[in-house]
Amino acid sequence: MIEIGIDSFAATPKGHGDSVQAIKELLDRIVLADNVGINVFGIGEHYRKEFLDSAQAVILAAAAARTKNIRLTSAVSVLSTTDPVRIFQNFATIDLISNGRAEIVAGRGSFVDSFPLFGYNLYDYDAIFAEKLNLLLKIRENEVVSWSGRYRPPLREQAIYPRPVQQKLPIWLGVGGTPASFVRAGELGLPLMVAAIGGQTHKFRPLVDLYRKHGEMAGFSPETLRVGLHSFGFVANTRKEAIDIFYPRYVEVIASMSEERGWVAPTREQFEAQADEKGAIVIGNPEEVAAKIIRHSEALGGISRFNFQMDVGISHKELMKGIELIGSKVIPLLRK
């Protein structure tokens, strides 16, 4: 059974309106996702005006107190510019509040705003991440840690608390399209969360195969080497309705990043091509969406989790309807 999740970046209200209401509505969406049987909800981490998720652990802790079954994760935690000790303590606390439902997706993030904010040098981009991931994994395995590195003061027989409910707090590695990241995840035996935000999903297959190959070479079983997929997507009663709701907001997001990223906002025809059988975007009625998730899984040699990125400025009411359809229609279809 493929787990189904939703990721949110806690978008600031259009026109930078009522942020208090936006956070309340986000928590309401997480509660609804829990009630309708969605498996996981993730909160991103950004440091810019468009998003309210710079303190993702606080949002997840609030959600933990209001939910019963749904797993709560980062999407992603920007490990490069955060102290691994603090990340572990935050998510261990969420694990205690939720009685064992916390997870971490560790990554380098899609923006670099946190580097100047916290005083890190972009020239050390990969080295910082590798070192901090090593420390985070060591903390997960050991209550008392001795460690030294280049980018953080050493730890000498330092006990780190609290400890989580789960004996081994789940840590996924969030990746884009860099082969070295897939190899690293495999060699460490970490589950992999692939961000497919455009193009055709099957083109990630060689990288996923590389991950599995290096994981097996490192002695990890195929069952350990789980693959998750994060993509833009939305569900409505009909395909036309889903695209009519999602496309205008999606284009605004892409256009807002065009100068910074060099992206070009697609026409509706180009968008629908991205949403076709092989495209990364998962959108349509429940039957179409369930079928496409299965095709994505087959294209990548099997996935264990699919996370929708729906929160692109769509109204709270429309997001609630989409969540309801995922829980009441899409998940039952996948179970069949």
Side-chain angles (χ1 to χ4, degrees):
M1 174 62 185
I2 300 172
E3 294 178 330
I4 298 298
I6 296 170
D7 289 335
S8 173
F9 298 161
T12 304
K14 197 168 183 179
H16 309 295
D18 188 348
S19 296
V20 172
Q21 182 66 16
I23 290 290
K24 178 187 179 300
E25 290 175 348
L26 173 59
L27 291 172
D28 288 344
R29 293 195 293 274
I30 300 173
V31 170
L32 176 62
D34 183 42
N35 290 339
V36 300
I38 289 171
N39 304 105
V40 59
F41 205 106
I43 301 293
E45 181 183 339
H46 299 84
Y47 296 88
R48 46 181 54 206
K49 195 173 184 179
E50 300 97 306
F51 306 111
L52 297 169
D53 60 353
S54 62
Q56 61 182 194
V58 178
I59 298 173
L60 290 169
R66 293 184 56 188
T67 54
K68 296 178 180 179
N69 299 304
I70 196 166
R71 298 194 68 78
L72 300 164
T73 184
S74 56
V76 301
S77 293
V78 183
L79 184 57
S80 303
T81 54
T82 310
D83 187 351
V85 173
R86 204 62 179 144
I87 287 181
F88 184 85
Q89 290 171 327
N90 285 342
F91 280 85
T93 303
I94 295 167
D95 207 50
L96 294 172
I97 296 169
S98 66
N99 193 24
R101 294 184 281 122
E103 298 186 1
I104 299 169
V105 177
R108 291 178 287 188
S110 56
F111 297 97
V112 295
D113 307 85
S114 60
F115 277 78
L117 182 64
F118 295 113
Y120 288 93
N121 193 328
L122 271 172
Y123 289 108
D124 299 322
Y125 187 76
D126 189 65
I128 294 174
F129 179 78
E131 179 177 291
K132 290 193 172 186
L133 179 60
N134 171 270
L135 176 55
L136 180 62
L137 294 175
K138 190 161 189 176
I139 294 169
R140 181 177 70 167
E141 300 297 329
N142 302 278
E143 187 172 324
V144 178
V145 176
S146 293
W147 175 93
S148 64
R150 180 180 174 188
Y151 301 100
R152 188 203 187 282
L155 297 169
R156 297 185 179 88
E157 295 296 313
Q158 183 66 55
I160 296 173
Y161 302 111
R163 306 306 295 182
V165 174
Q166 299 175 87
Q167 185 174 6
K168 196 168 185 176
L169 187 67
I171 298 175
W172 297 61
L173 196 63
V175 299
T178 307
S181 296
F182 287 79
V183 170
R184 174 186 287 142
E187 290 177 343
L188 294 172
L190 296 176
L192 187 74
M193 180 57 69
V194 182
I197 59 174
Q200 296 181 322
T201 302
H202 71 272
K203 292 186 177 179
F204 284 90
R205 179 62 183 268
L207 294 171
V208 171
D209 288 345
L210 190 66
Y211 159 71
R212 290 179 171 131
K213 174 185 174 182
H214 281 268
E216 291 176 13
M217 287 170 57
F220 297 101
S221 68
E223 295 76 24
T224 301
L225 302 171
R226 302 173 66 200
V227 176
L229 183 65
H230 160 107
S231 294
F232 284 113
F234 188 63
V235 187
N237 291 316
T238 68
R239 181 177 179 81
K240 182 179 184 303
E241 180 187 358
I243 294 176
D244 285 346
I245 292 169
F246 190 83
Y247 171 71
R249 305 286 81 80
Y250 170 84
V251 166
E252 287 181 8
V253 169
I254 299 300
S256 71
M257 298 179 182
S258 60
E259 184 174 340
E260 182 177 354
R261 297 287 188 87
W263 291 353
V264 177
T267 64
R268 176 148 178 158
E269 291 73 22
Q270 291 169 330
F271 174 84
E272 292 194 20
Q274 280 284 303
D276 68 7
E277 184 174 324
K278 294 182 179 180
I281 298 171
V282 178
I283 193 165
N285 65 40
E287 292 76 14
E288 291 168 324
V289 165
K292 188 160 186 181
I293 290 171
I294 292 169
R295 286 197 296 272
H296 277 339
S297 181
E298 292 170 348
L300 296 178
I303 62 173
S304 60
R305 179 176 292 180
F306 178 81
N307 284 6
F308 289 86
Q309 173 58 38
M310 302 194 301
D311 190 357
V312 292
I314 296 173
S315 75
H316 173 62
K317 182 179 179 180
E318 289 162 340
L319 287 169
M320 292 286 272
K321 287 180 180 177
I323 291 168
E324 176 69 41
L325 284 171
I326 292 170
S328 64
K329 301 289 186 182
V330 175
I331 289 177
L333 286 166
L334 289 171
R335 285 179 180 153
K336 291 181 181 179

